[in-house]
Amino acid sequence: MTMGRIGDIRIEDYDYPLPDLRIARHPLAERDKCLLLVRDGGGGVSTHTFDALPGLLPDDSMLVYNNTRVINARLRFRKGADGTGALIEIFCLEPHEPADYAVSFASTAGCSWCCLVGNSKRWKDGPLTRRVTVDGHEVTLTALRESKDGASSVVRFSWDNPEVTFSSIIGALGEIPIPPYLNRSTEECDSHDYQTVYSRIEGSVAAPTAGLHFTPAVLAAIDERGIPRRELTLHVGAGTFQPVKSDTIGEHEMHNEFIAVPRALIQELAASQRRVIAVGTTSVRTLESLYHLGCMLHAGLDASTLPQWYPYSDEHPRLSVGESMEAILRHLDETGADTFIASTRLMIAPGYDYRVVRGMVTNFHQPRSTLLLLVSAFLDGAVSQDQSSSTQVPEWRRIYDYALAGDYRFLSYGDACLFLRP
């Protein structure tokens, strides 16, 4: 399918009624006791609990998950020397200077970030300050807006104690930014609940929520089956919550997200015949982006960022997965790097040709969202016969209707799905 036909897809066709009561406000006390909807390679749909996942994975699987860690990205300041003025909320999106996540978090003097600013009109100029205790050290954090471009601003952070890092400051001062559709304030329990058990690389402002169901027991059971577990990194941006507001998806601008994939995984993808099962849409986007970035390198293009419509371009070389991964490995050899780092704006929508991912673990997604488009594309446009109306319904809708008719809980803290291709 060409980009033109993809772009003409109407987002209203990916809407469905989601009662507010079906949105999970908190996870279950036992993560792996949530429901798991399984859609097998033959189209069969069944209900399990998540702790059954290890036994449901194909023998030849390789599980790939996102090791990103959600940061306390929401910082609150009060204007005025006495701290009684207008409330200004600064939502850190991604590092600006230094642009490297790890370097920015390790900074002990200052750094600047691209941010969203709440109550922005009340912060016209001048610094904001807030006093905080970090690991026994008293620190004054200062925020100064350096520039504004549309909805986002570049904010410079500085502090008066070189004994502490920016990571430790926001860890002590900031709040976990839970999804807006939960329609509640951040609670203390979210600092644990909204992290995967394998999170370790700081940078996300939203959790890769399919991974929230995993427990050490589930991971151990996967290992016992001899199914390899591999990790990559995609730092989830605030854009993951943005609904598609345009009538057709061709008018929607995908958000940009940072990805990092270790050489060892790229080598496995180049040579392995295992079925790749991605944990979460973030892992899906990373793995599929990796393929297209390798094609860009093969074509002699700058592969620092994957444009959202490149996979549908007539100029795409359509390499095999092995050829694409080899192009990335040659690039790593030339640069002397052990990790491939880039960013992606990949738009996966019905008509997209999946190249790497053969199965996915995912949650139930918002109506009219790019994540629902990604799921629909994976289900490959298959249709089932709705016996009650004798009309054809899209496969994604059949599955979501099944879940809505049952006791499934939706969105970030809700239940999970395992989708498999033949």
Side-chain angles (χ1 to χ4, degrees), residues 145-172:
R145 181 151 59 181
E146 294 185 324
S147 63
K148 188 175 187 299
D149 182 13
S152 65
S153 299
V154 174
V155 177
R156 179 74 184 177
F157 297 103
S158 59
W159 52 98
D160 59 359
N161 192 325
E163 298 293 321
V164 299
T165 64
F166 185 62
S167 176
S168 60
I169 288 174
I170 64 171

Side-chain angles (χ1 to χ4, degrees), residues 1-10 14 248-250 309 312 349-352:
M1 182 180 287
T2 65
M3 182 267 157
R5 291 179 61 195
I6 292 280
D8 290 339
I9 291 174
R10 299 179 305 165
Y14 296 86
T248 59
I249 68 170
W309 299 117
Y312 312 97
Y352 175 84

Side-chain angles (χ1 to χ4, degrees), residues 20-331:
D20 186 68
L21 290 175
R22 303 303 292 273
I23 300 174
R25 264 46 186 201
H26 295 88
L28 298 181
E30 296 182 76
R31 293 185 181 215
D32 57 8
K33 298 304 181 185
C34 71
L35 294 180
L36 175 67
L37 184 154
V38 177
R39 192 269 193 186
D40 61 39
V45 178
S46 55
T47 295
H48 307 261
T49 55
F50 195 83
D51 55 5
L53 175 71
L56 296 167
L57 296 172
D59 292 337
D60 61 348
S61 296
M62 176 170 67
L63 206 65
V64 181
Y65 55 86
N66 185 2
N67 61 16
T68 190
R69 185 167 181 81
V70 184
I71 63 172
N72 289 9
R74 181 173 284 124
L75 307 174
R76 300 179 192 273
F77 292 82
R78 287 279 182 183
K79 291 190 67 179
D82 58 357
T84 60
L87 176 65
I88 308 296
E89 181 178 291
I90 300 176
F91 191 153
C92 298
L93 298 177
E94 61 182 11
H96 179 74
E97 180 60 40
D100 183 276
Y101 279 85
V103 175
S104 183
F105 286 129
S107 174
T108 57
C111 55
S112 60
W113 279 63
C114 295
C115 304
L116 297 177
V117 177
N119 205 12
S120 179
K121 293 180 180 179
R122 300 297 298 274
W123 186 23
K124 292 183 171 56
D125 53 37
L128 303 173
T129 61
R130 186 165 172 187
R131 195 74 173 162
V132 63
T133 300
V134 182
D135 299 328
H137 299 282
E138 289 294 318
V139 180
T140 298
L141 176 66
T142 300
L144 183 66
R145 181 151 59 181
E146 294 185 324
S147 63
K148 188 175 187 299
D149 182 13
S152 65
S153 299
V154 174
V155 177
R156 179 74 184 177
F157 297 103
S158 59
W159 52 98
D160 59 359
N161 192 325
E163 298 293 321
V164 299
T165 64
F166 185 62
S167 176
S168 60
I169 288 174
I170 64 171
L173 183 64
E175 298 177 9
I176 287 281
I178 60 172
Y181 49 66
L182 293 185
N183 197 27
R184 65 170 174 83
S185 300
T186 300
E187 300 172 12
E188 186 176 347
C189 59
D190 292 311
S191 62
H192 169 268
D193 292 343
Y194 203 55
Q195 301 282 10
T196 64
V197 296
Y198 45 71
S199 65
R200 63 185 186 87
I201 307 297
E202 292 181 307
S204 281
V205 301
T209 54
L212 296 180
H213 311 292
F214 285 83
T215 61
V218 169
L219 296 175
I222 293 169
D223 293 340
E224 289 174 7
R225 282 207 56 204
I227 294 174
R229 292 190 291 113
R230 302 292 183 257
E231 61 184 60
L232 44 72
T233 305
L234 180 144
H235 289 324
V236 188
T240 192
F241 298 128
Q242 292 179 355
V244 178
K245 297 180 180 179
S246 55
D247 292 335
T248 59
I249 68 170
E251 302 167 37
H252 179 75
E253 183 177 350
M254 281 294 290
H255 53 288
N256 199 40
E257 292 178 313
F258 168 96
I259 65 173
V261 185
R263 175 192 289 267
L265 176 54
I266 298 169
Q267 290 172 328
E268 279 194 89
L269 294 173
S272 176
Q273 298 302 309
R274 284 188 173 273
R275 182 191 303 257
V276 176
I277 310 294
V279 177
T281 57
T282 60
S283 297
V284 171
R285 288 192 76 219
T286 304
L287 290 164
E288 292 297 315
S289 295
L290 190 67
Y291 166 76
H292 297 294
L293 289 162
C295 290
M296 291 177 70
L297 287 169
H298 176 85
L301 301 174
D302 176 11
S304 57
T305 300
L306 175 63
Q308 72 182 73
W309 299 117
Y310 179 72
Y312 312 97
S313 166
D314 291 336
E315 287 73 38
H316 195 295
R318 314 284 186 237
L319 304 178
S320 69
V321 172
E323 291 170 332
S324 173
M325 297 304 123
E326 289 296 339
I328 297 176
L329 292 171
R330 288 194 298 272
H331 172 77

